Amino acid sequence: MEETGLTREGRLHRERLRLQAAEWFEEGVPQAEVARRLGASRQAVHVWHKKWENGGIQALRSAGPSGRRPLVSGEEFAQVAEALKQGPAAHGFTGQVWTLARIRRVIQETTGAEYTTPSGVWRLLKRHGWSRQTPTRRAYERDEKAVMTWRSEVWPQVKPPPSAVEQ
């Protein structure tokens, strides 16, 4: 899940600090001493103390991740991943290559989430540990004879002349 602020572990750590501070507040430990013990700023401890006074220990609990919620949840992405593993042909595409536009369509069909740009799809994939892949072998449709003919006959005719700097 994409988070704009602290990681889950970071939020839990900070929450533990605040809850420890609350215990000391209850014991009557001065704010400056709480700050020293926790390695926190006096200003932060002062804010925690005010929240604790007004709302008790519950006011010091983490509110969860900040920022906008992702369009596709982790559970929904698992469904998308299963759909992508079936291959492009299973979704009506010709060829065996996934493009961001194709993936976007599968995401929309699978979850109903509508990504408006390829970069949004790319960020979703990266967030879930997916990366750009390159084929390990050449396409089986490749015609080696046609490629060699193009390189030897067509390319020399269309190749731009070298610039004065290159000569």
Side-chain angles (χ1 to χ4, degrees), residues 5 13 20-21 23 25 28 30 44-45 47 50 52 78 82 86 91 96 111 113 115 120 127 140 142 147:
H13 172 72
Q20 177 61 64
E23 284 182 32
F25 296 154
V45 172
V47 170
K50 285 287 185 200
W52 174 76
E82 286 303 313
Q86 295 170 359
H91 298 279
Q96 291 299 312
T111 68
Y115 281 88
R127 182 169 58 243
Y140 67 89
R142 181 177 167 124
V147 171

Side-chain angles (χ1 to χ4, degrees), residues 12-54:
L12 290 174
H13 172 72
R14 289 196 177 178
E15 181 181 68
R16 282 191 297 273
L17 291 177
R18 292 190 302 270
L19 296 179
Q20 177 61 64
E23 284 182 32
W24 289 331
F25 296 154
E26 288 173 2
E27 294 171 7
V29 177
Q31 291 179 33
E33 178 60 19
V34 171
R36 188 192 64 73
R37 289 181 186 180
L38 295 176
S41 71
R42 287 181 178 202
Q43 294 87 349
V45 172
H46 177 73
V47 170
W48 299 344
H49 190 265
K50 285 287 185 200
K51 286 184 177 187
W52 174 76
E53 280 181 324
N54 294 328

